[in-house]
Structures are given as C-alpha cells and as structure tokens.
Amino acid sequence: MSGRRHLSLTGATALVLAITGGLMGPATAQASLAHSATAHGATAHGATAHGASDPARRTLPAGDGWGSAGTGTSGGAAAVASRVFTVTTWEEFRAALAVPGTEPRIVRVKGTLNATAAGCSAFEAPGYDFSRYLADYDPAVWGLDTVVSGPQEDLRAASAKAQGEAIKAYVPANTTVIGVGRNAGIVGGSVQIQGVDNVVIRNLTVESPLDCFPQWDPTDGATGAWNSEYDSMVVYGSTHVWIDHNTFTDGAHPDSSLPRYYGEVYQQHDGELDIVRGADLVTASWNVFADHDKTLMIGNSDSAGATDRGRLRVTLHHNLFRNVIERAPRVRFGQVDAYNNHFVVPATGYAYSLGIGQESQLVAEKNAFSVPAGVGVGAILKKWKDAPVTTVGNLVNGRPVDLLAVHNAEFPGEVLRDGAGWTPTLRGRVDNPRAVPGLVDHRAGAGRLR
C-alpha cells in the first residue's frame, strides 16, 4: 500500500469557517484539513486503486480536442493523499479549493452542494426593498432613456456584490473536480476557472445560479430589459481545460417560471458555460446543456481581439444541446471544432444554434439536428458578423443537409461564407452522425461516466 489517504471535509464546519474567514494561515489551514480528514474516518488506498479505473485520476486522452494540445490536460490526476478532498457542502468545497499551492489536487463532490441555501435574503443590503425599487424605477416614473440610479439601485448593487462573493468558487491550477456517483452536483453556485492552467471538471449536475438582484436597464432595447449575472461555469483566461460528462440545467427555476415586471421577463439566469477573455485549449465532451436560453458563449466581446485573437481554441464533441434557445455555441475569434453533437431544437422560442461572430472560424461536422415541424432549418446558423464557417456531413432529422446552403437561401440578407480556413486534427473517436442521437442521448451528462 502507498499510504495514500482519502481526505474528507465532512463535519469540519468550524474549520471551513476559519479558513474562509481568514482566521488561520495557509500552512495551518492545510495541516488542519489533513488532520480533520483523518479524524473523520479517512481510509487508506493503494496506488493502483487510484489508477485508470478511478475516474478522478483520468486524464484527457491524447488527441482528444484542443484541450489535449501541447502539455495536455491532466488536472489533479497525480495528487498525493494530502491533496485529495471529499466535500459535502458549498463551504467545504470552497475551502478545499482555497488550500494553498499549485500541486495537483482532487476535489470529490458528494451529494448536492447548495451555494444559496439561506435564500436571497441572506445577501440583502440593509434598506434594500424590491417593492421600493419597482416603484422608483417604473418606466412611467423614470422613463426609458436614462440608466437607473439612486439609493435603491445602490443597495441593489451592494446586495448583488454580496451574492457574487458568496456563490463564486475559484478553481486553482492542476485540479480535478469530480462528482461522486450518479447524483453529485452544485445548485446556485458559479464555478470560476480563471487565469489558471490544467483543470478537469467531470460528473456534476450544475443548476444555473439564480440572480437574486437583476438590474433594470430601461435603455436596453425599445422597452427596457432585466439583466442578470452569474454563469454556471466560466473559463476565463485559462488554458488546458477538460469539461466532461456534466449536466447543465436551470433545474427548479426554468425561464418559464420567472415573473414579469414592467412587462418584461425578470431574467435571473445568465449563461451555462462561458469561455472568454483569452481562454484557450479547451475540450468540452459528453455534456448535457438543457432547457436554457443563452447557453454557451466562446468570446464575449467584439472588441476583445487583443486578448482573444489566436486563442479561444475549443473542441465540442458528443454533447447534447436539448431545448436550447441560442448560443450552442456563439463564437467570436476562436477556432472551434464542433462535431458529433446532438441538437434537439425546441418547438417554440428557438433563435439559433451556431452563432457566427467576429473573426470566428467554426467547423461544424457530422452533427445531428432534431428539428420539429414549423422551425426553419436555415435558422440553425446565425450570422452576427462576416466570418467563414465550415459545415460538412451534418444530418437534420436523419437526412443529410447542407446547413450553409439552406441558411443562405432562407436568409439572403445574411449570407455566410464557406470555408473556416483550417482543418481539425485533434479528434478522438468520430462517429457516423446517424449514430450520434442514440450515443449522445444515452451516454452524455452527469452520472454516466464509463
């Protein structure tokens, strides 16, 4: 036996508060985590037990998308015993991620971690009153030509800041975060992979965080709009990231359940996955993105060329996009390879799947689209800016369709150019698109690791 121990944070609430509250130094915190694990029944595992058969020690296979380029993506696969943690609460999760050092670590998530268990009232700044907010900024009172300001907007912003600080968890370099079993996940949290290298996220059901304090912007569109924060997961300026076998969902709070104020949807969701601000070399495989509006954005600004040009290289394969309204993905700048994905298009509210944006170079090959009657196939592609795109070997309802030709015929005012200008070489298995719905629908998502 190697003497490796399985570390658990379960029951270490006081320790977690001490760490997150800054009451003990980094060295003391790490030692205390190890001591707590042993005290709570840590068990020993041999080195071979953590080999290829342990999903937490899986690395991204060579040649499997952009994430495998260069040094590849291994996350925390090589973690020693003192840097393997099992967490059962949101506080424990953040504490495990905060342990100092960039040596490999594994964080095993057991059960569902709730980042907003105490409810929205826990984040409210004293004096904030939503009823007062609605009265103060009613368009009939405030108008539609000036951004809101004043005491209630200041208190809303302070409340939003408190929520953001509480629900964001920052994943450090050389880390694997993995759900244990079939029912592990995060509710109400925003997983931030920011400015680091070599991260693996697997086997989690991630329910979109619900913004408790959306901002009213009367100047957004002709009639104003509510704008929300907090993506479920953000890859920001990071490299070598593998996002695999996760399920992204709105869970108990679909957009259809949200109220309306000032005649507009009180939008409390942002994106499910954003890959932005110079992020690079990412593989997202065998995930489910379900029942969401603005789903997956690669590049978040047309003016970010200085950071994004030559980066944002992302591979999307064997993912299920089910009842997604738009951004599956929307791309700016990046060389994005999307193959063997299944897109189940919703019957109502559909905008588009593949968004062609500023200087993007999207290759969409051998995907399967299930499109209901009454939805135009040309809408699968959306032109945001003039950029080339490659669409080859895709099926719609089981039949070959030239997506580009159909789009250009249906939208002659938004003609897209053929030929992304590059040929993907980093691919693992490439399936016949006729097999994709059966494969992806039954194997993608959390709880289905093999």
Side-chain angles (χ1 to χ4, degrees), residues 124-169:
E124 287 185 1
Y128 176 70
D129 184 333
F130 184 56
S131 296
R132 183 73 258 164
Y133 187 96
L134 289 176
D136 287 352
Y137 305 119
D138 189 320
V141 175
W142 189 265
L144 289 170
D145 56 355
T146 306
V147 174
V148 299
S149 61
Q152 281 300 313
E153 169 56 22
D154 292 343
L155 291 170
R156 184 211 63 81
S159 302
K161 181 180 178 182
Q163 181 181 3
E165 291 173 350
I167 71 169
K168 291 181 180 179

mmCIF file of all heavy atoms in Angstrom, residues 124-169:
data_model
loop_
_atom_site.group_PDB
_atom_site.id
_atom_site.type_symbol
_atom_site.label_atom_id
_atom_site.label_comp_id
_atom_site.label_asym_id
_atom_site.label_seq_id
_atom_site.Cartn_x
_atom_site.Cartn_y
_atom_site.Cartn_z
ATOM 1 N N GLU A 124 -29.118 40.472 1.134
ATOM 2 C CA GLU A 124 -29.700 41.803 1.001
ATOM 3 C C GLU A 124 -28.980 42.830 1.867
ATOM 4 O O GLU A 124 -28.762 42.616 3.062
ATOM 5 C CB GLU A 124 -31.175 41.771 1.380
ATOM 6 C CG GLU A 124 -32.065 41.105 0.350
ATOM 7 C CD GLU A 124 -33.538 41.189 0.700
ATOM 8 O OE1 GLU A 124 -33.858 41.782 1.749
ATOM 9 O OE2 GLU A 124 -34.365 40.666 -0.066
ATOM 10 N N ALA A 125 -28.620 43.938 1.246
ATOM 11 C CA ALA A 125 -28.054 45.059 1.997
ATOM 12 C C ALA A 125 -29.154 45.701 2.841
ATOM 13 O O ALA A 125 -30.304 45.805 2.400
ATOM 14 C CB ALA A 125 -27.468 46.084 1.034
ATOM 15 N N PRO A 126 -28.841 46.138 4.065
ATOM 16 C CA PRO A 126 -29.860 46.793 4.903
ATOM 17 C C PRO A 126 -30.490 47.982 4.183
ATOM 18 O O PRO A 126 -29.792 48.850 3.645
ATOM 19 C CB PRO A 126 -29.046 47.254 6.125
ATOM 20 C CG PRO A 126 -27.873 46.328 6.176
ATOM 21 C CD PRO A 126 -27.533 46.021 4.744
ATOM 22 N N GLY A 127 -31.801 47.986 4.136
ATOM 23 C CA GLY A 127 -32.512 49.068 3.484
ATOM 24 C C GLY A 127 -32.976 48.761 2.077
ATOM 25 O O GLY A 127 -33.801 49.505 1.518
ATOM 26 N N TYR A 128 -32.476 47.657 1.499
ATOM 27 C CA TYR A 128 -32.931 47.306 0.149
ATOM 28 C C TYR A 128 -34.364 46.808 0.203
ATOM 29 O O TYR A 128 -34.717 45.967 1.032
ATOM 30 C CB TYR A 128 -32.036 46.239 -0.471
ATOM 31 C CG TYR A 128 -32.526 45.771 -1.834
ATOM 32 C CD1 TYR A 128 -32.449 46.608 -2.932
ATOM 33 C CD2 TYR A 128 -33.087 44.503 -1.993
ATOM 34 C CE1 TYR A 128 -32.910 46.196 -4.181
ATOM 35 C CE2 TYR A 128 -33.551 44.083 -3.237
ATOM 36 C CZ TYR A 128 -33.461 44.927 -4.322
ATOM 37 O OH TYR A 128 -33.922 44.530 -5.542
ATOM 38 N N ASP A 129 -35.195 47.326 -0.676
ATOM 39 C CA ASP A 129 -36.615 46.976 -0.707
ATOM 40 C C ASP A 129 -37.024 46.852 -2.168
ATOM 41 O O ASP A 129 -37.098 47.861 -2.880
ATOM 42 C CB ASP A 129 -37.423 48.068 -0.003
ATOM 43 C CG ASP A 129 -38.906 47.737 0.094
ATOM 44 O OD1 ASP A 129 -39.422 46.988 -0.762
ATOM 45 O OD2 ASP A 129 -39.561 48.254 1.004
ATOM 46 N N PHE A 130 -37.306 45.634 -2.607
ATOM 47 C CA PHE A 130 -37.614 45.414 -4.015
ATOM 48 C C PHE A 130 -38.891 46.144 -4.421
ATOM 49 O O PHE A 130 -38.987 46.673 -5.540
ATOM 50 C CB PHE A 130 -37.717 43.919 -4.302
ATOM 51 C CG PHE A 130 -37.942 43.599 -5.753
ATOM 52 C CD1 PHE A 130 -37.063 44.053 -6.726
ATOM 53 C CD2 PHE A 130 -39.045 42.855 -6.158
ATOM 54 C CE1 PHE A 130 -37.260 43.762 -8.077
ATOM 55 C CE2 PHE A 130 -39.258 42.557 -7.501
ATOM 56 C CZ PHE A 130 -38.355 43.021 -8.466
ATOM 57 N N SER A 131 -39.856 46.197 -3.539
ATOM 58 C CA SER A 131 -41.085 46.935 -3.859
ATOM 59 C C SER A 131 -40.787 48.407 -4.092
ATOM 60 O O SER A 131 -41.328 49.040 -5.006
ATOM 61 C CB SER A 131 -42.108 46.786 -2.722
ATOM 62 O OG SER A 131 -42.505 45.441 -2.585
ATOM 63 N N ARG A 132 -39.900 48.970 -3.268
ATOM 64 C CA ARG A 132 -39.496 50.364 -3.440
ATOM 65 C C ARG A 132 -38.727 50.532 -4.743
ATOM 66 O O ARG A 132 -38.892 51.527 -5.458
ATOM 67 C CB ARG A 132 -38.627 50.775 -2.251
ATOM 68 C CG ARG A 132 -38.170 52.221 -2.233
ATOM 69 C CD ARG A 132 -39.304 53.142 -1.885
ATOM 70 N NE ARG A 132 -39.845 53.801 -3.069
ATOM 71 C CZ ARG A 132 -40.993 54.417 -3.133
ATOM 72 N NH1 ARG A 132 -41.794 54.455 -2.081
ATOM 73 N NH2 ARG A 132 -41.402 54.994 -4.244
ATOM 74 N N TYR A 133 -37.881 49.543 -5.051
ATOM 75 C CA TYR A 133 -37.116 49.562 -6.303
ATOM 76 C C TYR A 133 -38.064 49.626 -7.503
ATOM 77 O O TYR A 133 -37.879 50.437 -8.418
ATOM 78 C CB TYR A 133 -36.236 48.313 -6.370
ATOM 79 C CG TYR A 133 -35.253 48.278 -7.533
ATOM 80 C CD1 TYR A 133 -33.928 48.686 -7.358
ATOM 81 C CD2 TYR A 133 -35.635 47.815 -8.789
ATOM 82 C CE1 TYR A 133 -33.016 48.646 -8.416
ATOM 83 C CE2 TYR A 133 -34.744 47.773 -9.854
ATOM 84 C CZ TYR A 133 -33.436 48.182 -9.665
ATOM 85 O OH TYR A 133 -32.555 48.144 -10.711
ATOM 86 N N LEU A 134 -39.084 48.760 -7.500
ATOM 87 C CA LEU A 134 -40.037 48.731 -8.611
ATOM 88 C C LEU A 134 -40.790 50.061 -8.727
ATOM 89 O O LEU A 134 -41.045 50.546 -9.839
ATOM 90 C CB LEU A 134 -41.033 47.590 -8.421
ATOM 91 C CG LEU A 134 -40.502 46.170 -8.613
ATOM 92 C CD1 LEU A 134 -41.594 45.153 -8.297
ATOM 93 C CD2 LEU A 134 -39.982 45.967 -10.034
ATOM 94 N N ALA A 135 -41.126 50.655 -7.595
ATOM 95 C CA ALA A 135 -41.846 51.924 -7.632
ATOM 96 C C ALA A 135 -40.963 53.062 -8.143
ATOM 97 O O ALA A 135 -41.398 53.901 -8.946
ATOM 98 C CB ALA A 135 -42.380 52.264 -6.240
ATOM 99 N N ASP A 136 -39.699 53.058 -7.705
ATOM 100 C CA ASP A 136 -38.791 54.147 -8.071
ATOM 101 C C ASP A 136 -38.449 54.153 -9.552
ATOM 102 O O ASP A 136 -38.293 55.217 -10.169
ATOM 103 C CB ASP A 136 -37.498 54.064 -7.263
ATOM 104 C CG ASP A 136 -37.689 54.466 -5.815
ATOM 105 O OD1 ASP A 136 -38.781 54.954 -5.472
ATOM 106 O OD2 ASP A 136 -36.747 54.269 -5.018
ATOM 107 N N TYR A 137 -38.313 52.938 -10.135
ATOM 108 C CA TYR A 137 -37.791 52.864 -11.498
ATOM 109 C C TYR A 137 -38.828 52.421 -12.521
ATOM 110 O O TYR A 137 -38.487 52.065 -13.647
ATOM 111 C CB TYR A 137 -36.561 51.942 -11.527
ATOM 112 C CG TYR A 137 -35.513 52.390 -10.534
ATOM 113 C CD1 TYR A 137 -35.108 51.559 -9.497
ATOM 114 C CD2 TYR A 137 -34.969 53.677 -10.600
ATOM 115 C CE1 TYR A 137 -34.166 51.976 -8.573
ATOM 116 C CE2 TYR A 137 -34.020 54.105 -9.684
ATOM 117 C CZ TYR A 137 -33.627 53.255 -8.660
ATOM 118 O OH TYR A 137 -32.701 53.691 -7.753
ATOM 119 N N ASP A 138 -40.080 52.460 -12.128
ATOM 120 C CA ASP A 138 -41.162 52.192 -13.081
ATOM 121 C C ASP A 138 -40.990 53.118 -14.279
ATOM 122 O O ASP A 138 -40.836 54.340 -14.116
ATOM 123 C CB ASP A 138 -42.506 52.444 -12.394
ATOM 124 C CG ASP A 138 -43.688 51.979 -13.228
ATOM 125 O OD1 ASP A 138 -43.659 52.168 -14.472
ATOM 126 O OD2 ASP A 138 -44.633 51.436 -12.641
ATOM 127 N N PRO A 139 -41.002 52.558 -15.500
ATOM 128 C CA PRO A 139 -40.832 53.413 -16.684
ATOM 129 C C PRO A 139 -41.807 54.581 -16.749
ATOM 130 O O PRO A 139 -41.478 55.641 -17.299
ATOM 131 C CB PRO A 139 -41.053 52.437 -17.849
ATOM 132 C CG PRO A 139 -40.646 51.112 -17.303
ATOM 133 C CD PRO A 139 -41.074 51.137 -15.856
ATOM 134 N N ALA A 140 -42.977 54.409 -16.154
ATOM 135 C CA ALA A 140 -43.944 55.503 -16.142
ATOM 136 C C ALA A 140 -43.457 56.665 -15.282
ATOM 137 O O ALA A 140 -43.889 57.810 -15.466
ATOM 138 C CB ALA A 140 -45.294 55.006 -15.618
ATOM 139 N N VAL A 141 -42.537 56.348 -14.364
ATOM 140 C CA VAL A 141 -41.984 57.375 -13.477
ATOM 141 C C VAL A 141 -40.602 57.811 -13.951
ATOM 142 O O VAL A 141 -40.301 59.005 -14.064
ATOM 143 C CB VAL A 141 -41.899 56.841 -12.027
ATOM 144 C CG1 VAL A 141 -41.209 57.851 -11.109
ATOM 145 C CG2 VAL A 141 -43.281 56.492 -11.513
ATOM 146 N N TRP A 142 -39.769 56.830 -14.267
ATOM 147 C CA TRP A 142 -38.362 57.090 -14.575
ATOM 148 C C TRP A 142 -38.127 57.382 -16.051
ATOM 149 O O TRP A 142 -37.228 58.128 -16.420
ATOM 150 C CB TRP A 142 -37.531 55.869 -14.143
ATOM 151 C CG TRP A 142 -36.048 56.104 -14.222
ATOM 152 C CD1 TRP A 142 -35.212 55.796 -15.256
ATOM 153 C CD2 TRP A 142 -35.234 56.714 -13.240
ATOM 154 N NE1 TRP A 142 -33.925 56.171 -14.978
ATOM 155 C CE2 TRP A 142 -33.902 56.739 -13.724
ATOM 156 C CE3 TRP A 142 -35.474 57.246 -11.960
ATOM 157 C CZ2 TRP A 142 -32.833 57.265 -12.999
ATOM 158 C CZ3 TRP A 142 -34.413 57.778 -11.233
ATOM 159 C CH2 TRP A 142 -33.114 57.784 -11.749
ATOM 160 N N GLY A 143 -38.929 56.754 -16.901
ATOM 161 C CA GLY A 143 -38.717 56.887 -18.331
ATOM 162 C C GLY A 143 -37.877 55.753 -18.878
ATOM 163 O O GLY A 143 -37.480 54.828 -18.151
ATOM 164 N N LEU A 144 -37.591 55.822 -20.185
ATOM 165 C CA LEU A 144 -36.858 54.744 -20.862
ATOM 166 C C LEU A 144 -35.562 55.232 -21.513
ATOM 167 O O LEU A 144 -34.963 54.509 -22.306
ATOM 168 C CB LEU A 144 -37.752 54.113 -21.938
ATOM 169 C CG LEU A 144 -38.915 53.264 -21.434
ATOM 170 C CD1 LEU A 144 -39.854 52.909 -22.589
ATOM 171 C CD2 LEU A 144 -38.415 51.991 -20.765
ATOM 172 N N ASP A 145 -35.124 56.412 -21.144
ATOM 173 C CA ASP A 145 -33.947 56.956 -21.821
ATOM 174 C C ASP A 145 -32.762 57.207 -20.897
ATOM 175 O O ASP A 145 -31.726 57.715 -21.329
ATOM 176 C CB ASP A 145 -34.303 58.264 -22.542
ATOM 177 C CG ASP A 145 -34.901 59.309 -21.604
ATOM 178 O OD1 ASP A 145 -35.120 58.986 -20.419
ATOM 179 O OD2 ASP A 145 -35.140 60.442 -22.048
ATOM 180 N N THR A 146 -32.882 56.824 -19.622
ATOM 181 C CA THR A 146 -31.808 57.080 -18.662
ATOM 182 C C THR A 146 -31.591 55.851 -17.794
ATOM 183 O O THR A 146 -32.549 55.293 -17.245
ATOM 184 C CB THR A 146 -32.151 58.283 -17.751
ATOM 185 O OG1 THR A 146 -32.464 59.409 -18.569
ATOM 186 C CG2 THR A 146 -30.973 58.621 -16.854
ATOM 187 N N VAL A 147 -30.329 55.444 -17.652
ATOM 188 C CA VAL A 147 -29.995 54.307 -16.782
ATOM 189 C C VAL A 147 -30.372 54.643 -15.344
ATOM 190 O O VAL A 147 -30.180 55.775 -14.881
ATOM 191 C CB VAL A 147 -28.486 53.986 -16.894
ATOM 192 C CG1 VAL A 147 -28.096 52.912 -15.891
ATOM 193 C CG2 VAL A 147 -28.136 53.552 -18.309
ATOM 194 N N VAL A 148 -30.907 53.666 -14.630
ATOM 195 C CA VAL A 148 -31.382 53.920 -13.272
ATOM 196 C C VAL A 148 -30.224 54.264 -12.338
ATOM 197 O O VAL A 148 -29.108 53.775 -12.481
ATOM 198 C CB VAL A 148 -32.181 52.719 -12.716
ATOM 199 C CG1 VAL A 148 -33.394 52.443 -13.576
ATOM 200 C CG2 VAL A 148 -31.311 51.472 -12.604
ATOM 201 N N SER A 149 -30.531 55.112 -11.343
ATOM 202 C CA SER A 149 -29.557 55.493 -10.326
ATOM 203 C C SER A 149 -30.324 55.921 -9.090
ATOM 204 O O SER A 149 -31.534 56.140 -9.121
ATOM 205 C CB SER A 149 -28.665 56.637 -10.826
ATOM 206 O OG SER A 149 -29.445 57.788 -11.114
ATOM 207 N N GLY A 150 -29.609 56.023 -7.971
ATOM 208 C CA GLY A 150 -30.259 56.443 -6.746
ATOM 209 C C GLY A 150 -30.092 55.435 -5.626
ATOM 210 O O GLY A 150 -29.440 54.387 -5.796
ATOM 211 N N PRO A 151 -30.664 55.680 -4.464
ATOM 212 C CA PRO A 151 -30.433 54.841 -3.279
ATOM 213 C C PRO A 151 -30.781 53.372 -3.475
ATOM 214 O O PRO A 151 -30.006 52.490 -3.089
ATOM 215 C CB PRO A 151 -31.317 55.492 -2.207
ATOM 216 C CG PRO A 151 -31.454 56.911 -2.645
ATOM 217 C CD PRO A 151 -31.467 56.885 -4.138
ATOM 218 N N GLN A 152 -31.949 53.074 -4.053
ATOM 219 C CA GLN A 152 -32.328 51.668 -4.195
ATOM 220 C C GLN A 152 -31.440 50.942 -5.205
ATOM 221 O O GLN A 152 -31.130 49.766 -5.020
ATOM 222 C CB GLN A 152 -33.798 51.549 -4.578
ATOM 223 C CG GLN A 152 -34.750 51.729 -3.402
ATOM 224 C CD GLN A 152 -34.523 50.706 -2.301
ATOM 225 O OE1 GLN A 152 -34.394 49.509 -2.559
ATOM 226 N NE2 GLN A 152 -34.470 51.175 -1.053
ATOM 227 N N GLU A 153 -30.992 51.612 -6.250
ATOM 228 C CA GLU A 153 -30.063 50.978 -7.188
ATOM 229 C C GLU A 153 -28.719 50.722 -6.503
ATOM 230 O O GLU A 153 -28.104 49.671 -6.700
ATOM 231 C CB GLU A 153 -29.873 51.843 -8.432
ATOM 232 C CG GLU A 153 -28.734 51.417 -9.347
ATOM 233 C CD GLU A 153 -28.822 49.970 -9.831
ATOM 234 O OE1 GLU A 153 -29.925 49.381 -9.828
ATOM 235 O OE2 GLU A 153 -27.774 49.416 -10.218
ATOM 236 N N ASP A 154 -28.272 51.644 -5.671
ATOM 237 C CA ASP A 154 -27.016 51.441 -4.936
ATOM 238 C C ASP A 154 -27.135 50.242 -3.988
ATOM 239 O O ASP A 154 -26.201 49.437 -3.865
ATOM 240 C CB ASP A 154 -26.659 52.694 -4.143
ATOM 241 C CG ASP A 154 -26.283 53.871 -5.028
ATOM 242 O OD1 ASP A 154 -25.979 53.641 -6.225
ATOM 243 O OD2 ASP A 154 -26.303 55.011 -4.523
ATOM 244 N N LEU A 155 -28.283 50.120 -3.325
ATOM 245 C CA LEU A 155 -28.481 48.991 -2.409
ATOM 246 C C LEU A 155 -28.624 47.686 -3.177
ATOM 247 O O LEU A 155 -28.160 46.635 -2.715
ATOM 248 C CB LEU A 155 -29.712 49.249 -1.542
ATOM 249 C CG LEU A 155 -29.568 50.382 -0.517
ATOM 250 C CD1 LEU A 155 -30.921 50.716 0.101
ATOM 251 C CD2 LEU A 155 -28.558 50.007 0.565
ATOM 252 N N ARG A 156 -29.281 47.741 -4.347
ATOM 253 C CA ARG A 156 -29.341 46.534 -5.185
ATOM 254 C C ARG A 156 -27.941 46.092 -5.584
ATOM 255 O O ARG A 156 -27.610 44.901 -5.515
ATOM 256 C CB ARG A 156 -30.172 46.805 -6.445
ATOM 257 C CG ARG A 156 -30.366 45.563 -7.337
ATOM 258 C CD ARG A 156 -30.475 45.921 -8.799
ATOM 259 N NE ARG A 156 -29.263 46.551 -9.308
ATOM 260 C CZ ARG A 156 -28.174 45.891 -9.676
ATOM 261 N NH1 ARG A 156 -28.108 44.573 -9.585
ATOM 262 N NH2 ARG A 156 -27.111 46.555 -10.123
ATOM 263 N N ALA A 157 -27.098 47.024 -5.997
ATOM 264 C CA ALA A 157 -25.733 46.695 -6.405
ATOM 265 C C ALA A 157 -24.936 46.106 -5.244
ATOM 266 O O ALA A 157 -24.158 45.159 -5.426
ATOM 267 C CB ALA A 157 -25.041 47.937 -6.955
ATOM 268 N N ALA A 158 -25.121 46.654 -4.048
ATOM 269 C CA ALA A 158 -24.420 46.118 -2.875
ATOM 270 C C ALA A 158 -24.894 44.700 -2.556
ATOM 271 O O ALA A 158 -24.090 43.831 -2.186
ATOM 272 C CB ALA A 158 -24.648 47.038 -1.674
ATOM 273 N N SER A 159 -26.186 44.477 -2.699
ATOM 274 C CA SER A 159 -26.730 43.135 -2.465
ATOM 275 C C SER A 159 -26.184 42.152 -3.489
ATOM 276 O O SER A 159 -25.817 41.021 -3.158
ATOM 277 C CB SER A 159 -28.258 43.173 -2.534
ATOM 278 O OG SER A 159 -28.802 44.081 -1.608
ATOM 279 N N ALA A 160 -26.129 42.582 -4.769
ATOM 280 C CA ALA A 160 -25.599 41.724 -5.822
ATOM 281 C C ALA A 160 -24.133 41.386 -5.577
ATOM 282 O O ALA A 160 -23.688 40.262 -5.821
ATOM 283 C CB ALA A 160 -25.766 42.415 -7.174
ATOM 284 N N LYS A 161 -23.376 42.362 -5.092
ATOM 285 C CA LYS A 161 -21.962 42.107 -4.787
ATOM 286 C C LYS A 161 -21.823 41.042 -3.698
ATOM 287 O O LYS A 161 -20.975 40.154 -3.790
ATOM 288 C CB LYS A 161 -21.287 43.405 -4.344
ATOM 289 C CG LYS A 161 -19.810 43.242 -4.022
ATOM 290 C CD LYS A 161 -19.186 44.559 -3.590
ATOM 291 C CE LYS A 161 -17.708 44.365 -3.234
ATOM 292 N NZ LYS A 161 -17.093 45.637 -2.752
ATOM 293 N N ALA A 162 -22.670 41.122 -2.685
ATOM 294 C CA ALA A 162 -22.627 40.131 -1.601
ATOM 295 C C ALA A 162 -22.960 38.739 -2.129
ATOM 296 O O ALA A 162 -22.319 37.745 -1.744
ATOM 297 C CB ALA A 162 -23.598 40.529 -0.490
ATOM 298 N N GLN A 163 -23.958 38.648 -3.012
ATOM 299 C CA GLN A 163 -24.276 37.343 -3.581
ATOM 300 C C GLN A 163 -23.108 36.811 -4.401
ATOM 301 O O GLN A 163 -22.742 35.638 -4.291
ATOM 302 C CB GLN A 163 -25.528 37.405 -4.454
ATOM 303 C CG GLN A 163 -25.879 36.043 -5.044
ATOM 304 C CD GLN A 163 -27.106 36.052 -5.930
ATOM 305 O OE1 GLN A 163 -27.712 37.101 -6.178
ATOM 306 N NE2 GLN A 163 -27.495 34.887 -6.414
ATOM 307 N N GLY A 164 -22.518 37.676 -5.241
ATOM 308 C CA GLY A 164 -21.404 37.240 -6.065
ATOM 309 C C GLY A 164 -20.257 36.691 -5.246
ATOM 310 O O GLY A 164 -19.648 35.674 -5.594
ATOM 311 N N GLU A 165 -19.948 37.356 -4.141
ATOM 312 C CA GLU A 165 -18.844 36.901 -3.289
ATOM 313 C C GLU A 165 -19.156 35.556 -2.650
ATOM 314 O O GLU A 165 -18.253 34.753 -2.402
ATOM 315 C CB GLU A 165 -18.559 37.949 -2.224
ATOM 316 C CG GLU A 165 -17.948 39.231 -2.789
ATOM 317 C CD GLU A 165 -17.817 40.331 -1.749
ATOM 318 O OE1 GLU A 165 -18.383 40.165 -0.632
ATOM 319 O OE2 GLU A 165 -17.175 41.361 -2.050
ATOM 320 N N ALA A 166 -20.424 35.289 -2.411
ATOM 321 C CA ALA A 166 -20.807 34.060 -1.722
ATOM 322 C C ALA A 166 -20.919 32.863 -2.651
ATOM 323 O O ALA A 166 -20.671 31.723 -2.234
ATOM 324 C CB ALA A 166 -22.135 34.272 -0.987
ATOM 325 N N ILE A 167 -21.288 33.090 -3.915
ATOM 326 C CA ILE A 167 -21.606 31.946 -4.776
ATOM 327 C C ILE A 167 -20.515 31.607 -5.777
ATOM 328 O O ILE A 167 -20.646 30.622 -6.505
ATOM 329 C CB ILE A 167 -22.930 32.166 -5.532
ATOM 330 C CG1 ILE A 167 -22.782 33.230 -6.628
ATOM 331 C CG2 ILE A 167 -24.059 32.504 -4.560
ATOM 332 C CD1 ILE A 167 -23.967 33.294 -7.566
ATOM 333 N N LYS A 168 -19.435 32.372 -5.813
ATOM 334 C CA LYS A 168 -18.360 32.064 -6.744
ATOM 335 C C LYS A 168 -17.298 31.197 -6.071
ATOM 336 O O LYS A 168 -16.885 31.468 -4.944
ATOM 337 C CB LYS A 168 -17.723 33.340 -7.288
ATOM 338 C CG LYS A 168 -18.633 34.120 -8.217
ATOM 339 C CD LYS A 168 -17.967 35.369 -8.752
ATOM 340 C CE LYS A 168 -18.890 36.133 -9.689
ATOM 341 N NZ LYS A 168 -18.265 37.373 -10.205
ATOM 342 N N ALA A 169 -16.887 30.156 -6.777
ATOM 343 C CA ALA A 169 -15.825 29.272 -6.288
ATOM 344 C C ALA A 169 -14.733 29.235 -7.346
ATOM 345 O O ALA A 169 -15.004 28.932 -8.511
ATOM 346 C CB ALA A 169 -16.360 27.871 -6.024
#
